[in-house]
Structure formats: C-alpha cells, structure tokens
Amino acid sequence: MIVNDGEISEILKSAEAKTPAEIRAILKKARGLKGINAQESAALLCTRDKTLLNEIFETAKFIKTQIYGNRLVLFAPLYISNICFNECVYCAFRASNKELERKALNQEEIKAEILQLLRQGHKRVLMVAGESYSGEGLKYIFDSIKTIYSVQGGKNNIRRVNVNIAPLTVEEFKELAKYNIGTFQLFQETYHKPTYEKLHIAGKKKDYDFRLNGMHRAFEAGFKDVGIGALLGLYDYKYEVLAMLQHIKSLEETFGVGPHTISVPRVEPACGSSFSENPPYAVADEDFKKIIAVLRISVPYTGIILSTRESAAMRSAALELGISQLSGGSRIDPGGYEGKEAVGTKKEFKAAQFSLGDHRTLAQVIEDIVAHGYIPSFCTGCYRLGRVGKDFMDLAKPGLIKIHCLPNAMFTFAEYLYDFAGGPLKAKGFALINKMMADLPPATQQQAAAKLEEIKNGRRDIYF
Ligand code: SAM
Ligand code: SF4
C-alpha cells in the first residue's frame, strides 16, 4: 500500500496538540539535515502561530542553503500538444472543452519553439502534453524529444529534456528511457482516492491506482530520476503533503531512492473550467509557504520546483523557503513562444492550460534572482555525468553538491551573461560570480577560475 489513509488520519489527530517547545525541538532536529518523521512533519503543518511559522521558514532556508547553496536551476516548459482524451475537471485541455483551440505541434513547429527558447538563453526544457498518445502514438512523443535535442541555435542547444506526460506501462517506459530524458514528471493531482475519482471523470486517467503506481513502474523500467507532485486546491493540503511523504517512503523502501523533485502546483483559473475558478480546498498564500517549507525540512535532499503559475511576488518569497528550481518566461499554449500575441492576452488563455501568474521574461526573472543574491543555473552536469538517482542523493547528502553544483552554476551563468545579458545585468552577474568564488574551497577555486577563463574565450558547455 503506497498511501495509508488510516495512518494519515491518526497522525493528523495527534499533531494538533504539540506545544511550542515541541515544535522547536523538531526544528532543532531538522537542522541536523537528516529529515524528520511523518508525525513531526504533521506537527509543523498544523502550526498556525506566527512566531513559530517564521521559525519554520528560517529552518527551511537554513537547510536549503546548507545543501544547495544559493543556486537556483532554471527551465522552460514546452507544451507540444493540448489534445487530451481525459476529463480532469480543473484543466482546460480536458476532452469536452469546446472553448479551447486545439493544437499538436509538428516537428518543424517544435524546432521553431526551441529556437525561441535558445534565443532567450534556456538550456533545460520540460516537455508537456495532454494525454492522447499511447501504443504506436507514442512515436510522436519520442520524435518530439529527438527534435528538441537536435536543434542548434548558435553555440547553444537544449542539454536536458524532462518530460511531463501521462503515466506509461513498464514496456512503454522502457522505450521512453531510450530517448535520453532527464526526469520523468507525473503529479498524482490528489492522493485522496474518493476525491480523485470525483474529479477525473473519463478517460484512462480515471484509474487512480495506475497513476499512483506510475513512478514505481518508471523505476522498474530503469528510470533514475522521477518528479512527483500534488495539485494543491483539490483536497486538504495537510493530507496531500503526508500522502506525498508516504509515496516517497514507498519509493525509497522499494528502490533505495526517492523522487528527484517535488512540484507544488496550485490550481489556477483555466478556460472553460468553473471548478478551477473556485477550487474547494484553495490554498492560501501563508499555507502555501508553509507547505514549501515543511517539504524542504522533511525531505532535505529533494529538489522543489515552482512554476510560473505563481506570481512574481510569491516566487520571490518562495526562494527563501527552499525552492531549488524555477521556470522562467513560460508559455503554456502549444506554439506560444513563437506566437505574436503578448503574454496574458485572451488568445493565450484560449489555447493555454491555465492562466499564468508570472508574466516576466526570462531576463527579468534572472535579474530578480540575482537581486536576491541567488545564482541562476542552467546546469545539466550531474545528469550528463551519470550522477542521477541514488548517486545524486549520495552526493547531495554530505553537502558535496556545493563543490560540483555551485561551480557548474557559475559556469552556466557566465555563459548566459556573455551570450544573452545586457550591460547592467552582466556587471551584477559577474560581481555575484566573483563573490561566490571566495566561498569555494581553494582547490575548486583554482579549477573554477581556469574554466571561467575558457568560457570568456568562447568555450561553452563546461562542467565538473
Ligand atoms: N496530461 C498529463 C497529465 O495530466 O499527467 C501531463 C501534462 S498536464 C498538462 C500537467 C499538469 O498540469 C497536471 O498534472 C496538473 O497537475 C496541472 N494542471 C492541470 N490543470 C491545472 C490548473 N487549472 N491549474 C494549475 N495546474 C493545472
Ligand atoms: Fe488532460 Fe493532463 Fe489536463 Fe487531465 S491534466 S485534462 S490528463 S492535460
């Protein structure tokens, strides 16, 4: 059993009664970077006192800095198709929605989209599609991945393709694994089975268990990095977080490693979905921050992704709470990067999955990140050197990520600054890189300085 309802109810019942001293003892334990147990996570989730909440936020930030340093990985979603056979009540892509303009990009159109992303400076793409591809139809998905990797834009190309598509059978996963993808991402939406069955009315996605077992099948098929998530707003967030922790535990017990990433999407208004305008368990901003912080504290070594569903202000606030990956300059309608219409217009909404909260360009997102003292990273080094799955976690655990990932972040950011940034950002960016150099161990410092010189001289795609 992956999700144990009875256990979640029991844990939540006892969690409410914790005293401030008990909460502080949990936070002290968390600073040891070994994670906390489900009872302790529940106690933090039930905390409402403002002072204690601030202490939770500070602990999350401490953990994030210890493990990840001040780097943030950037990516862009690429929606290749909004055609879907399912009926998820919250999603604009659902089959019965007549208001949506349908489109599946052909390979030439995908190339054009990737060229646009490369022109912005992106190196990592999350490929997304509605569920209308299975069996022979999966060829479209495979061809699209090949196309994305094949595009060369000047000196640049996409170096990692992650994928968010419907769950596959073990045999299909084995096929997908041949296309060199990074993370396979799949959100359970809600872990609460009765709610799941109410909100997924028709199509293959109706099958709760097939989806819940999806990540186990992906690991079984040989995947090393998977990304989980819950769509917040469908059911009680405390239940969702505890169930997500049970999902992680089950993966760890079965395969020796948990997910590479967790996503925390909140339901956003979607064209033709009245449900999405007013979700029954809408998560308030303060609770949303608490969710991110509790996840960071509970599973310190797992990346947490925040998309452009969130506003610029929330994304800035979340940087301090443990987010490790952000999307930037996103369009969520197939063909959106090539589209002539401005972000946020009626046309975008008509073909898009939901409405965006952050309409800034990648350059603006990067300026904001740098202003907060974080270094934007486009690094794909670990994945390409085979440091994935358990190897990545073993590296992450003793804090060694800082020795590999911080220099790699600096290299990819330096590339960005030389190839894409305007004068003021360039100056601020290199000032940040120089400041960070001082924090590296002396041997790493020397190596990093030599690599940065090579990048200055025109070499690209350097990593440790
Ligand atoms: N169709 C596949 C599936 O459902 O797994 C993969 C892609 S689907 C486009 C990606 C995710 O978008 C879903 O898993 C869901 O969590 C999220 N999503 C759908 N409707 C949304 C909405 N109105 N607001 C925010 N996120 C939404
Ligand atoms: Fe289709 Fe995925 Fe949207 Fe559901 S969430 S309607 S499966 S695209």
Side-chain angles (χ1 to χ4, degrees):
M1 185 196 299
I2 297 174
V3 173
N4 184 335
D5 257 335
E7 190 180 286
I8 295 177
S9 312
E10 282 306 308
I11 292 176
L12 280 175
K13 250 186 252 159
S14 57
E16 288 281 355
K18 292 280 183 276
T19 64
E22 286 171 313
I23 298 292
R24 290 195 172 108
I26 296 170
L27 295 178
K28 188 164 175 225
K29 174 180 170 190
R31 283 179 182 248
L33 305 181
K34 297 217 161 33
I36 55 176
N37 63 37
Q39 282 77 4
E40 292 163 336
S41 302
L44 299 184
L45 282 171
C46 290
T47 303
R48 280 181 291 269
D49 177 86
K50 279 245 173 328
T51 310
L52 286 174
L53 273 179
N54 280 334
E55 291 175 29
I56 292 175
F57 295 161
E58 279 162 21
T59 307
K61 182 169 183 188
F62 169 84
I63 292 171
K64 195 223 151 173
T65 311
Q66 288 299 307
I67 294 175
Y68 289 87
N70 62 341
R71 108 206 128 90
L72 267 171
V73 172
L74 289 171
F75 71 97
L78 177 74
Y79 278 68
I80 56 169
S81 163
N82 62 11
I83 298 169
C84 189
F85 296 156
N86 290 321
E87 274 297 322
C88 312
V89 299
Y90 45 79
C91 181
F93 293 177
R94 68 190 191 287
S96 68
N97 186 9
K98 299 282 180 281
E99 288 181 42
L100 193 82
E101 290 167 16
R102 302 281 170 179
K103 178 135 182 97
L105 300 181
N106 64 34
Q107 300 307 315
E108 283 311 306
E109 288 168 327
I110 291 175
K111 274 188 196 161
E113 291 284 280
I114 293 298
L115 273 175
Q116 290 293 345
L117 288 174
L118 290 172
R119 274 183 206 128
Q120 290 180 29
H122 277 294
K123 304 284 187 297
R124 302 167 65 109
V125 156
L126 172 67
M127 193 185 92
V128 185
E131 179 164 8
S132 49
Y133 308 96
S134 59
E136 292 290 298
L138 279 173
K139 187 171 179 304
Y140 173 65
I141 298 287
F142 302 152
D143 287 348
S144 303
I145 299 167
K146 271 198 297 198
T147 300
I148 295 172
Y149 277 126
S150 75
V151 181
Q152 195 68 36
K155 289 177 188 167
N156 293 299
N157 62 311
I158 296 298
R159 300 172 186 166
R160 174 170 175 136
V161 181
N162 298 329
V163 170
N164 185 325
I165 56 168
L168 305 175
T169 64
V170 174
E171 287 315 307
E172 288 168 338
F173 270 127
K174 282 185 182 160
E175 274 305 298
L176 178 64
K178 292 179 185 160
Y179 291 85
N180 200 20
I181 70 164
T183 308
F184 178 78
Q185 213 182 65
L186 178 72
F187 308 154
Q188 183 59 28
E189 319 299 13
T190 171
Y191 283 89
H192 188 246
K193 196 170 184 178
T195 304
Y196 185 97
E197 287 173 348
K198 230 172 39 202
L199 303 182
H200 301 92
I201 297 165
K204 274 170 77 175
K205 193 165 165 181
K206 265 176 72 163
D207 187 341
Y208 171 94
D209 291 315
F210 186 73
R211 196 165 181 95
L212 187 60
N213 287 302
M215 293 319 198
H216 285 68
R217 289 196 303 281
F219 272 133
E220 216 179 304
F223 273 83
K224 299 281 189 275
D225 285 348
V226 300
I228 64 168
L231 183 57
L232 300 170
L234 305 184
Y235 191 61
D236 174 26
Y237 72 83
K238 293 177 192 134
Y239 180 98
E240 302 292 14
V241 172
L242 292 178
M244 210 151 29
L245 295 177
Q246 289 183 338
H247 192 182
I248 293 171
K249 196 166 167 217
S250 170
L251 290 170
E252 281 173 348
E253 283 171 1
T254 318
F255 301 101
V257 63
H260 187 62
T261 56
I262 300 176
S263 295
V264 285
R266 281 198 282 188
V267 176
E268 298 296 331
C271 143
S273 161
S274 53
F275 177 95
S276 68
E277 304 276 345
N278 196 10
Y281 290 87
V283 173
D285 286 353
E286 275 306 295
D287 289 333
F288 186 58
K289 289 186 200 164
K290 183 166 66 176
I291 292 169
I292 296 171
V294 172
L295 284 171
R296 173 46 64 237
I297 291 171
S298 306
V299 277
Y301 305 100
T302 306
I304 306 181
I305 302 178
L306 196 63
S307 76
T308 49
R309 288 174 180 85
E310 296 300 332
S311 66
M314 175 53 83
R315 280 162 39 101
S316 297
L319 296 185
E320 308 289 328
L321 301 173
I323 292 297
S324 56
Q325 291 194 28
L326 277 182
S327 48
S330 302
R331 302 300 300 260
I332 51 171
D333 50 329
Y337 295 109
E338 266 278 288
K340 301 283 177 284
E341 299 243 344
V343 176
T345 61
K346 189 84 179 148
K347 178 168 180 290
E348 181 206 29
F349 197 63
K350 278 272 182 187
Q353 198 189 5
F354 44 81
S355 64
L356 286 176
D358 183 351
H359 302 281
R360 295 172 300 172
T361 62
L362 176 65
Q364 289 167 330
V365 172
I366 287 181
E367 274 168 28
D368 187 46
I369 290 173
V370 172
H372 279 82
Y374 287 89
I375 186 146
S377 172
F378 296 92
C379 181
T380 52
C382 279
Y383 148 74
R384 287 153 81 208
L385 289 169
R387 287 195 300 254
V388 291
K390 191 165 179 328
D391 290 347
F392 175 85
M393 290 300 169
D394 288 347
L395 183 76
K397 286 190 177 166
L400 276 173
I401 276 194
K402 278 192 187 175
I403 295 169
H404 288 278
C405 300
L406 278 183
N408 285 344
M410 286 158 58
F411 304 156
T412 56
F413 186 41
E415 284 186 8
Y416 176 85
L417 292 172
Y418 285 123
D419 294 344
F420 303 100
L425 177 59
K426 220 178 224 167
K428 284 184 205 154
F430 280 115
L432 182 59
I433 289 177
N434 289 337
K435 189 165 157 249
M436 286 179 57
M437 275 292 254
D439 293 338
L440 298 179
T444 318
Q445 235 177 63
Q446 268 184 2
Q447 282 176 306
K451 301 281 182 213
L452 283 169
E453 197 56 30
E454 287 183 50
I455 294 167
K456 191 175 174 186
N457 294 331
R459 240 192 98 187
R460 292 290 174 267
D461 203 8
I462 294 179
Y463 47 89
F464 284 162

